Amino acid sequence: MIVMRKGIKIIVWTITVVSFFGVSGYAFYRSIPEPPLAEIESARLGLAMARDSQAAKYSAEIYQAAEKTYDSAMTLWRKENERFVLRRNYEQVQIMAMKATDLSAEALESTRNRTSDLENRLHVDMQRLFNLVKEINLVFSRFPLPQTTRTKISKGKLLLNEANVAYKKQEFLTADELATKSGFLLYDAHKTANNILENYFENYPYWKRWLDESIAESREKSIPVVVVDKFARKCYVYKNGQKTHEFEAELGKNWVGDKRYRGDYTTPEGRYKITVKKEKSKTIYYKALLINFPNEDDIQRFRADIANGKLPRSAKIGGLIEIHGHGGKGADWTQGCVALSNPDMDVIYRLVSVGTPVTIIGSAVELKSALKN
């Protein structure tokens, strides 16, 4: 009986001890602070989403704040984990993680708004640049411009194409940068080209007077008159004051302005006459109509330019300006002559004779109408 009582006491004592430590252990476990894992994971995912949306580029300030706040939360977490388990406090970690989540969401929304705004603005800006390129191509593709201006146009077009590629890839910041550089070049080149064109058309009153006088001569004398419109690249034949024929014309490589000296590759402007009709072995250009350049006006202007120092005394006035064949190249390539296709030369050759007036003008219409046409 005594042994049995001792055994029961031992069992009871054991149960009591085990129960005590069990309860204490559970209480100890319950007292350990739990890290804010859900908040930290939410902050990590939010930051990743903002980063994938390119918030670092489009909303840099907000994104950097989110990233910095997240890093601070992780640093605090590591420091708390180094403390004794019962002394850990994750409250600030939780606060920082939640703040990082909010900042990431703000950066993401800002990026989406800015991306949409930038995409829309870029679409408008790039369309304007493409329209500008179209205008440059239409008006100035065969207009003699300084090489620096041509270079700007070429570089501007290249940058615009690169911007368009970036735009299609939704790399809007890159596209914006490229489009901005393109715009600077293209608008500057267009301004320079327009200034040259407007200065050239200041001579329109002279061209109009020459044209009116030539048409009147054709009507009054019932004779054919040849008119070359340089800007329109046309060669017309008038008879009895009415336009009867129209041909495509190609000019000197540097056709803008009046011819000043030999070797300037400019097609002269003024009122001339056909002095010689050439064909077969007499010309290398299939058929040709030689005109009396330089006339008296050309000679006086040339001498004045020499006297005023605008031309060196070694300069020569030049000559041998013709309307000739071998045209149809689609470019201005002569040294100052007017080139027609061989079939057109056959037609005009039959219509004219020695003494037929030839009037060469910059344009038959004012600049506004010329550009519209």
Side-chain angles (χ1 to χ4, degrees):
M1 291 294 293
I2 295 174
V3 174
M4 184 178 294
R5 287 176 181 173
K6 288 183 177 179
I8 292 172
K9 288 181 179 180
I10 290 171
I11 292 171
V12 172
W13 182 82
T14 301
I15 292 173
T16 302
V17 171
V18 170
S19 298
F20 173 78
F21 281 103
V23 172
S24 299
Y26 177 73
F28 177 79
Y29 172 77
R30 288 296 302 270
S31 65
I32 296 176
E34 293 185 6
L37 297 178
E39 288 82 356
I40 290 174
E41 178 64 10
S42 177
R44 186 188 68 80
L45 290 175
L47 197 63
M49 290 177 64
R51 181 173 56 250
D52 291 344
S53 73
Q54 294 186 308
K57 292 181 178 180
Y58 292 97
S59 306
E61 186 174 346
I62 304 174
Y63 176 79
Q64 289 170 5
E67 198 173 41
K68 184 178 180 180
T69 304
Y70 177 78
D71 290 342
S72 297
M74 298 302 294
T75 300
L76 286 174
W77 188 19
R78 285 192 295 269
K79 286 183 177 180
E80 291 301 321
N81 287 339
E82 292 173 358
R83 296 162 64 96
F84 177 65
V85 64
L86 294 179
R87 296 177 65 99
R88 296 173 185 171
N89 186 344
Y90 293 109
E91 183 179 353
Q92 286 299 315
V93 177
Q94 184 180 31
I95 292 173
M96 298 293 280
M98 293 172 66
K99 184 178 179 182
T101 300
D102 292 341
L103 286 169
S104 295
E106 184 181 352
L108 181 60
E109 183 179 3
S110 173
T111 296
R112 286 172 176 169
N113 291 336
R114 290 194 63 191
T115 300
S116 178
D117 292 343
L118 182 57
E119 180 181 7
N120 293 334
R121 179 175 64 79
L122 264 175
H123 177 75
V124 174
D125 290 348
M126 290 177 62
Q127 189 59 52
R128 286 174 180 166
L129 288 176
F130 278 118
N131 289 338
L132 181 62
V133 168
K134 183 179 179 181
E135 180 183 340
I136 290 173
N137 289 340
L138 285 173
V139 179
F140 298 106
S141 60
R142 290 176 61 180
F143 192 89
L145 294 172
Q147 186 56 46
T148 54
T149 304
R150 284 287 174 201
T151 300
K152 286 181 180 180
I153 292 173
S154 297
K155 288 183 177 179
K157 290 179 180 179
L158 179 62
L159 287 170
L160 181 56
N161 288 333
E162 291 177 357
N164 193 39
V165 171
Y167 178 85
K168 290 179 179 179
K169 292 180 178 179
Q170 296 190 329
E171 297 173 355
F172 300 124
L173 285 178
T174 300
D176 188 37
E177 181 180 355
L178 291 168
T180 299
K181 292 179 179 179
S182 171
F184 280 133
L185 292 170
L186 290 174
Y187 280 113
D188 184 63
H190 185 255
K191 181 180 179 181
T192 299
N194 263 340
N195 288 338
I196 295 173
L197 183 59
E198 289 171 359
N199 290 337
Y200 180 50
F201 266 77
E202 288 180 358
N203 295 306
Y204 174 73
Y206 299 103
W207 304 335
K208 186 177 186 304
R209 176 166 57 82
W210 297 341
L211 178 60
D212 291 344
E213 290 173 351
S214 298
I215 294 175
E217 183 179 10
S218 169
R219 181 174 56 253
E220 293 167 3
K221 297 181 179 180
S222 299
I223 60 172
V225 170
V226 177
V227 174
V228 176
D229 184 330
K230 291 165 67 173
F231 191 78
R233 304 302 196 298
K234 298 291 185 180
C235 178
Y236 306 115
V237 176
Y238 285 82
K239 184 69 180 291
N240 297 323
Q242 300 296 319
K243 186 191 302 181
T244 59
H245 295 79
E246 178 179 315
F247 311 108
E248 296 293 327
E250 295 161 358
L251 310 170
K253 290 189 289 186
N254 187 35
W255 59 266
V256 172
D258 203 357
K259 188 169 185 64
R260 299 177 61 213
Y261 59 92
R262 184 171 66 192
D264 62 5
Y265 291 90
T266 304
T267 300
E269 297 173 7
R271 300 192 65 190
Y272 305 96
K273 293 183 181 298
I274 295 173
T275 57
V276 180
K277 294 178 67 174
K278 302 178 182 179
E279 61 179 328
K280 299 180 180 178
S281 62
K282 294 181 179 180
T283 177
I284 62 173
Y285 293 115
Y286 180 65
K287 290 180 179 179
L289 305 170
L290 181 67
I291 66 174
N292 62 326
F293 175 87
N295 60 21
E296 286 299 319
D297 291 338
D298 299 320
I299 294 171
Q300 289 180 15
R301 183 173 56 252
F302 178 77
R303 289 173 177 172
D305 286 344
I306 294 288
N308 295 332
K310 294 181 179 180
L311 289 175
R313 295 194 173 275
S314 60
K316 305 296 182 183
I317 194 169
L320 297 178
I321 299 298
E322 300 175 333
I323 299 174
H324 60 62
H326 289 179
K329 302 178 187 296
D332 298 310
W333 55 276
T334 74
Q335 295 185 41
C337 295
V338 177
L340 308 182
S341 69
N342 291 350
D344 288 344
M345 276 305 301
D346 285 333
V347 176
I348 197 171
Y349 199 86
R350 293 194 300 267
L351 295 173
V352 302
S353 59
V354 172
T356 296
V358 175
T359 300
I360 305 176
I361 58 177
S363 175
V365 296
E366 293 179 313
L367 177 57
K368 184 177 181 180
S369 298
L371 291 177
K372 185 177 180 180
N373 293 338

